[in-house]
Amino acid sequence: MANQRQRERKLEKGIAEGKKELTAILSKRKRAISGTVSEFTGKRDFAVNPRTRNKLYRELGEEYKKLNLDVNEWTVNNATKEAKQWWGYAKSDLPKGAVTDTFGAFSKQYIDDILGQINPATVDKTVAMGAQIGGMHANDVRALRAAVSTTIAEGAVEGLTNKQMADRMQAKIKGKVGQFQFVDKAGRKWKGENYFGMLNRTIHANAARDTYVATATDAGFDLFQIEGGVTGSSLENASDPCDEWAGKIISMTGSTKGYPTYQDTVDAGMWHPACVHFLSAVPPSEMPAAKKQEKVEEKQSDKVADKREERKEQ
């Protein structure tokens, strides 16, 4: 049976492998987008011919749809692989004789729901393009249109030739198109590497956590311990609550009195995107050891809080 540190390392390995696969997908699609943009903006009539520009916008849309399909396929493969790993961990933690489904039966019941929480576009075939990737496409089109309008205005004032306007257009959009940037609903600007890095960690961590919990609760378990240890992440992000919860025992449903609930952790901000803490089922026979671990984590959390205060005072 893998211990908690081994499981943590296995999760880290899955995240690293997922990053490598995703990086290859993004690099391939970025080259395709860059080639398409260069082909169209290099045409002498691009800035003054709306039909040429609209064709580029459509071609870009097709490239982003391909990116969306690639990412969705990658999501399904990585989440399913992680789920199978953590279904096995849950099964190994349960007492002998506990009734559990096969992974195939578990998949039919839960995998679509797990994928749907991570990325609805992976299970909803009517979604042409995920909101985030659609936002990246929209950001590129906005950048192109802004470059066109300013270039046309400059061309009129300076008497530029079509070739000169094409050259100026390409200079304006360099580093602004095909970078997978987008603005979310809160108005925050995301760089592509930051968004996809967060997506990768979230997919692996959520698939692992949701699979483990679903398997254990189906077998009748209600108490779980938050694993992953104190990371010190709150030193960098004072609003990150994870360290304060590490090691604590929680009731998944609230039916076991005297323990905070899973909903309490959610309300406090636990399990945020990119959070890699996970859970382990706590059988009654393991309660003393779990309590001891909880006290250790509380001491470590206090140390992190002290360091945070010191940092504020500096």
Side-chain angles (χ1 to χ4, degrees):
M1 182 191 302
N3 62 34
Q4 300 309 324
R5 180 54 190 142
Q6 289 170 328
R7 295 179 187 189
E8 190 174 0
R9 286 198 294 266
K10 189 69 175 179
L11 179 57
E12 291 168 353
K13 183 179 179 181
I15 291 171
E17 291 173 349
K19 180 181 179 181
K20 184 176 180 180
E21 294 170 6
L22 186 55
T23 298
I25 290 170
L26 297 176
S27 296
K28 176 183 177 181
R29 199 52 56 198
K30 186 174 286 190
R31 288 193 298 270
I33 289 172
S34 177
T36 299
V37 171
S38 294
E39 176 189 350
F40 278 88
T41 57
K43 295 179 180 181
R44 294 192 177 194
D45 68 337
F46 179 81
V48 295
N49 190 332
R51 292 181 62 184
T52 302
R53 295 198 301 272
N54 288 333
K55 188 175 181 181
L56 170 58
Y57 303 150
R58 290 195 298 271
E59 291 286 336
L60 273 181
E62 292 303 314
E63 290 296 340
Y64 275 98
K65 286 179 183 178
K66 291 175 184 176
L67 173 63
N68 195 74
L69 291 173
D70 290 343
V71 170
N72 287 351
E73 182 179 3
W74 169 86
T75 298
V76 171
N77 291 340
N78 278 264
T80 303
K81 183 168 60 175
E82 200 71 68
K84 189 171 184 178
Q85 180 75 51
W86 286 79
W87 170 84
Y89 288 152
K91 189 174 179 180
S92 69
D93 286 351
L94 301 180
K96 188 176 181 180
V99 178
T100 58
D101 288 331
T102 63
F103 183 70
F106 174 87
S107 297
K108 290 179 182 178
Q109 186 175 359
Y110 286 108
I111 290 296
D112 278 356
D113 288 340
I114 291 172
L115 290 171
Q117 291 180 52
I118 297 169
N119 181 4
T122 59
V123 291
D124 186 351
K125 303 305 181 185
T126 65
V127 178
M129 194 183 298
Q132 288 80 3
I133 293 179
M136 293 173 190
H137 173 234
N139 187 65
D140 279 2
V141 172
R142 280 194 297 269
L144 284 165
R145 283 178 168 155
V148 167
S149 62
T150 56
T151 301
I152 289 175
E154 292 167 359
V157 172
E158 301 175 37
L160 301 177
T161 66
N162 286 352
K163 175 64 168 62
Q164 289 172 323
M165 284 197 289
D167 292 342
R168 190 167 293 191
M169 263 283 305
Q170 289 192 316
K172 288 180 185 295
I173 65 173
K174 188 175 182 180
K176 294 181 180 179
V177 176
Q179 302 303 306
F180 302 146
Q181 298 174 327
F182 78 103
V183 179
D184 64 20
K185 292 180 180 179
R188 294 170 299 195
K189 294 181 179 180
W190 284 79
K191 292 183 178 179
E193 61 268 26
N194 292 342
Y195 169 72
F196 286 109
M198 178 275 293
L199 179 66
N200 178 45
R201 290 189 297 274
T202 300
I203 283 170
H204 285 269
N206 284 15
R209 185 166 56 246
D210 292 349
T211 298
Y212 184 95
V213 169
T215 304
T217 52
D218 278 355
F221 280 79
D222 182 56
L223 292 180
F224 292 81
Q225 188 153 28
I226 298 174
E227 304 284 2
V230 174
T231 64
S233 60
S234 56
L235 289 175
E236 300 299 327
N237 182 5
S239 64
D240 188 336
C242 293
D243 289 346
E244 298 173 12
W245 285 91
K248 291 189 181 300
I249 300 168
I250 63 172
S251 168
M252 190 54 57
T253 65
S255 61
T256 307
K257 303 305 179 184
Y259 294 92
T261 66
Y262 176 77
Q263 188 59 50
D264 290 334
T265 68
V266 173
D267 293 342
M270 275 289 293
W271 323 120
H272 54 79
C275 173
V276 293
H277 283 83
F278 54 99
L279 294 160
S280 62
V282 182
S285 61
E286 295 181 11
M287 285 300 294
K291 284 290 187 183
K292 184 177 180 180
Q293 176 64 17
E294 186 175 19
K295 290 180 180 179
V296 170
E297 297 290 2
E298 284 176 353
K299 289 181 180 179
Q300 292 177 337
S301 183
D302 288 342
K303 289 180 181 179
V304 170
D306 291 342
K307 289 182 180 179
R308 188 193 301 174
E309 290 301 319
E310 290 174 6
R311 192 165 183 169
K312 285 182 181 178
E313 293 172 0
Q314 291 177 350

